[in-house]
Amino acid sequence: MAVPVRIHEVGPRDGLQNEPGVISLARKVALIDLLSRSGLRDIEVGSFVSPKWVPQMADTDQVLAQLTPVPGVRYAVLVPNMRGWEGFLAARRDDMVTEIAVFISASEGFSQSNLNCSIAESVRRLHPVVAAAREKKVAVRGYVSCVTDCPFDGPTSPQQVADAVGQLRELGPMQVSLGDTIGKGTPARVTRMLEAVLGVAPAAELAGHFHDTGGRALTNIEASLALGLRAFDTAVGGLGGCPYAPGAPGNVATEAVLDLLQRLGYQTGVDHDVVAQAAELARAMR
Ligand code: HMG
Ligand code: MG
């Protein structure tokens, strides 16, 4: 029997947060509703972050209010602090399964740029968030950014990444998604990074999150599969870009990853045709 791989669709969040033009609520909801019917089981739909920092995600409460939940799909949102948690709590609905994603960086430079604080402070802010989520029985996922390179600090050492993953998992049990934020990773460096991280977390509790800026996301996914990872974040239509590399491709495209996994004999349960339709919709938003 084919080995299952779980795809976390992050296009409506990681993709759209980077798009320069205004994207209407109706178009976001239409994209999410189409993706919900594709067999995907995890869709990241927005962020409860400061609207001054990421204006594109300012309507996440409305996105949650208007989307049509499909049974079996878990809808995730990013939460950086208690203010974000409160926003999520106010918007959350009883008729859908939700998850929050907390995020830190493996490098200090990106932590300052993305969260306006040190890594240690970002983890400290997450303590009450994870405790509150646990109390309300809301699932928590973690992200570590800049797992191979930081746009400010240069290459990230594998040990820095392992330390960051360990700090997140001290907050509570969670899958941690490893972000090659600026898409500079190579299979050899991704392998060395994963070997270090596997010392603190099992492969079953890790995910790969590759931006395709350098055109190596698919080979980096292959390197991760070889070390036992079975969950990957992707964005339909390759939505999004990298603010540090204008015009560069964004997250690795869901449809490309589905094709790769099918060719390698893995099973995702995702309908390629529906994803292709969603990719068309996504490309029309750029
Ligand atoms: P700050 O300015 O240091 O925060 O930002 P503050 O606590 O001093 O608050 C400043 C203002 O923001 C206040 O409003 C707060 O109320 C408000 P004001 O009084 O000025 O009107 N505020 C909030 N508003 C809404 N929701 C909130 C919230 N918190 C404070 N949750 C903060 C700190 C964390 C808020 C800011 O830095 C921020 O929002 N950062 C988020 C950046 C972000 O979303 N980046 C993209 C996601 S991460 C990513 O893409 C990487 C990933 O894909 C993996 C990978 O590829 O590596 C996950
Ligand atoms: Mg990302």
Side-chain angles (χ1 to χ4, degrees):
M1 222 178 81
V3 174
V5 167
R6 191 145 174 163
I7 298 293
H8 292 249
E9 171 61 48
V10 297
R13 193 281 304 171
D14 204 1
L16 296 186
Q17 79 178 8
N18 280 314
E19 294 298 336
V22 177
I23 296 160
S24 73
L25 176 61
R27 295 180 86 190
K28 286 184 187 178
V29 170
L31 178 66
I32 294 164
D33 284 348
L34 184 54
L35 290 167
S36 295
R37 298 194 294 272
S38 69
L40 282 161
R41 290 189 291 156
D42 294 277
I43 307 178
E44 204 169 79
V45 297
S47 307
F48 286 96
V49 298
S50 164
K52 287 183 195 147
W53 285 64
V54 187
Q56 203 67 265
M57 295 291 110
D59 58 0
T60 295
D61 56 342
Q62 290 305 307
V63 170
L64 283 179
Q66 295 196 17
L67 66 80
T68 304
V70 167
V73 180
R74 186 160 59 179
Y75 297 91
V77 293
L78 257 54
V79 168
N81 54 18
M82 280 308 278
R83 171 81 193 268
W85 166 257
E86 281 148 22
F88 162 74
L89 257 195
R92 128 185 217 239
R93 291 164 52 177
D94 289 340
D95 61 346
M96 70 170 76
V97 178
T98 45
E99 177 183 67
I100 62 162
V102 296
F103 51 109
I104 67 169
S105 173
S107 65
E108 290 292 347
F110 187 71
S111 185
Q112 289 294 344
S113 152
N114 197 42
L115 291 164
N116 205 22
C117 65
S118 65
I119 300 169
E121 171 61 16
S122 68
V123 173
R124 196 188 62 71
R125 288 178 190 174
L126 293 176
H127 275 271
V129 173
V130 174
R134 185 179 286 180
E135 195 201 315
K136 297 274 182 199
K137 301 199 178 351
V138 172
V140 180
R141 186 172 201 240
Y143 277 110
V144 172
S145 289
C146 299
V147 299
T148 63
D149 298 88
C150 170
F152 307 101
D153 302 350
T156 307
S157 75
Q159 192 54 48
Q160 277 175 273
V161 186
D163 288 348
V165 171
Q167 287 190 64
L168 266 187
R169 285 167 58 89
E170 271 173 26
L171 297 172
M174 64 178 82
Q175 181 186 68
V176 177
S177 174
L178 302 163
D180 178 9
T181 314
I182 55 172
K184 284 185 93 172
T186 61
R189 293 178 61 226
V190 166
T191 298
R192 281 199 292 280
M193 179 274 293
L194 287 175
E195 283 167 350
V197 172
L198 287 168
V200 298
E205 292 170 28
L206 295 170
H209 177 109
F210 295 103
H211 287 253
D212 203 23
T213 323
R216 284 185 294 266
L218 292 176
T219 46
N220 288 336
I221 287 175
E222 286 196 66
S224 310
L225 285 165
L227 285 178
L229 268 68
R230 297 291 179 262
F232 296 97
D233 302 350
T234 66
V236 67
L239 267 179
C242 173
Y244 312 103
N251 289 78
V252 66
T254 307
E255 54 277 21
V257 176
L258 290 177
D259 287 347
L260 172 75
L261 292 171
Q262 188 175 45
R263 207 165 59 242
L264 297 176
Y266 292 95
Q267 176 204 314
T268 61
V270 181
D271 185 324
H272 293 216
D273 292 340
V274 179
V275 168
Q277 281 174 45
E280 236 169 81
L281 209 60
R283 278 192 288 270
M285 290 181 173
R286 305 194 94 164

